[in-house]
Amino acid sequence: MAKKTVATLQSSSNRLTKAIKMVRSPKSGAYTFVESVMPPEAVNDWLAKQ
């Protein structure tokens, strides 16, 4: 059985967080996923904006 590991995102001494949110397309109405890697302090601001 294969094991799957989840890596932490770290570059030198900076901690990073990968955030994923669903966004609805205005043209087709379908949902798409938008991913971004950022510092943990910026996640709430990124998720709040449209």
Side-chain angles (χ1 to χ4, degrees):
M1 184 157 103
K3 289 188 177 183
K4 187 174 183 182
T5 60
V6 178
T8 57
L9 302 171
Q10 291 185 354
S11 61
S12 65
S13 64
N14 297 335
R15 288 191 49 192
L16 299 174
T17 302
K18 182 176 183 180
I20 303 170
K21 71 176 173 179
M22 285 178 33
V23 177
R24 184 172 225 164
S25 170
K27 184 176 180 181
S28 66
Y31 284 100
T32 59
F33 292 96
V34 178
E35 298 179 4
S36 181
V37 177
M38 65 195 78
E41 300 83 30
V43 172
N44 288 335
D45 294 334
W46 184 76
L47 289 173
K49 72 176 185 177
Q50 290 289 335

